[in-house]
Amino acid sequence: MENENRVIVITGASGAGKTSVARYLRAKYSVPRVITHTTREPREGEIDGVDYYFETEDSWGKNHFIEQVNYSGYKYGSSYEGLERAWAKSKRSNHPGVISLVVDTIGAITYKETLKDQAIIWFVTVSDVAGLRNRLIARGDNPKRVVERTSSNDFERDMHLPEKLKNRATVIINDNWQLTQEGADKFINKLFYM
Ligand SMILES: Nc1ncnc2c1ncn2[C@@H]1O[C@H](COP(=O)(O)OP(=O)(O)OP(=O)(O)O)[C@@H](O)[C@H]1O
Ligand SMILES: Nc1nc2c(ncn2[C@@H]2O[C@H](COP(=O)(O)O)[C@@H](O)[C@H]2O)c(=O)[nH]1
């Protein structure tokens, strides 16, 4: 990876709005997102190769992972292949050299430690967990699974900015989508134009 390249690592709890922020960056600033891999089943409307690379236990090992975690009983990981594809898209965009990646906080710490200053960390959170649960149910997630997931240790861990990311992460409190977009605009403008 060339030194001027940057990865915006968007992290936080499930349902906090990480993917929404990544989609916003792609739509408004043509920042491509790294597609990561998982062994979980696709949710309704999710497409292989767009939302995730959906893997089986057998196909999982064919990828070359930079990092991988177990989350809520499934494997998730970001691969060198996925990053290369995002870099290739980035080269054709208005702002070459900037890509985004959505991971849990364990993945974000790995990126911080591996890529050093090339990793720009955005921690997305909300003030109200009940509201977050409602968002997940409105997204179409199974209500029983939403309760299980938002009661899990993984979720509880990702609701708080980890010690290792303090002084390094930009915190986005995604209670209001309009304000979140304005915050993202501010950080992106700093990155692109200053
Ligand atoms: N500020 C907001 N106000 C209302 N709804 C929101 C807001 N931000 C995101 N949402 C909605 O909340 C749901 C969860 O958001 P999103 O999928 O971006 O979260 P996530 O952190 O990527 O979750 P996961 O890690 O589980 O994939 C989506 O349906 C999204 O449209
Ligand atoms: N460390 C990594 N975490 C990842 C990766 N891809 C996704 N995720 C995170 O997993 C949870 C659950 O995602 P969901 O889509 O099933 O709700 C969430 O926090 C994702 O950000 C990855 O490659 N590495």
Side-chain angles (χ1 to χ4, degrees):
M1 190 162 63
E2 293 160 31
N3 277 340
E4 66 271 24
N5 287 343
R6 297 282 183 274
V7 182
I8 302 176
V9 178
I10 306 172
T11 190
S14 181
K18 306 178 297 292
T19 309
S20 302
V21 171
R23 286 191 184 133
Y24 178 70
L25 296 185
R26 189 179 54 207
K28 183 152 181 187
Y29 298 103
S30 305
V31 173
R33 177 167 70 95
V34 176
I35 312 298
T36 64
H37 305 250
T38 182
T39 56
R40 80 154 163 76
E41 291 295 312
R43 296 189 186 109
E44 203 177 321
E46 285 185 328
I47 299 169
D48 185 38
V50 174
D51 298 289
Y52 278 104
Y53 298 112
F54 291 101
E55 307 285 356
T56 61
E57 288 294 334
D58 284 345
S59 67
W60 184 260
K62 298 193 174 122
N63 304 291
H64 301 87
F65 289 105
I66 297 161
E67 57 82 38
Q68 51 182 300
V69 295
N70 287 307
Y71 187 103
S72 223
Y74 298 100
K75 288 179 181 159
Y76 291 82
S78 48
S79 65
Y80 289 97
E81 294 88 341
L83 255 86
E84 281 309 320
R85 281 188 277 263
W87 289 126
K89 279 190 205 157
S90 150
K91 281 194 187 130
R92 302 190 293 270
S93 80
N94 300 339
H95 299 285
V98 182
I99 61 177
S100 79
L101 172 79
V102 174
V103 287
D104 71 350
T105 57
I106 301 291
I109 291 168
T110 305
Y111 272 90
K112 185 205 98 174
E113 289 173 351
T114 313
L115 297 189
K116 311 269 188 300
D117 288 346
Q118 286 178 261
I120 294 169
I121 318 281
W122 289 7
F123 177 75
V124 182
T125 191
V126 296
S127 315
D128 170 28
V129 174
L132 179 151
R133 285 198 184 108
N134 290 337
R135 287 182 191 175
L136 288 177
I137 291 166
R139 182 172 78 174
D141 292 19
N142 176 304
K144 191 167 161 264
R145 291 281 298 144
V146 168
V147 173
E148 280 167 13
R149 179 171 271 210
T150 55
S151 311
S152 70
N153 292 339
D154 293 329
F155 178 85
E156 178 56 29
R157 180 200 64 214
D158 288 352
M159 276 299 289
H160 305 285
L161 182 62
E163 201 56 45
K164 287 186 173 170
L165 297 180
K166 280 189 182 148
N167 305 321
R168 206 38 186 73
T170 294
V171 176
I172 298 179
I173 304 195
N174 179 29
D175 290 342
N176 173 307
W177 183 238
Q178 183 58 38
L179 295 181
T180 296
Q181 290 176 89
E182 287 168 16
D185 291 341
K186 194 175 86 191
F187 303 129
I188 279 287
N189 283 326
K190 238 195 256 173
L191 185 67
F192 285 164
Y193 307 114
M194 293 173 77

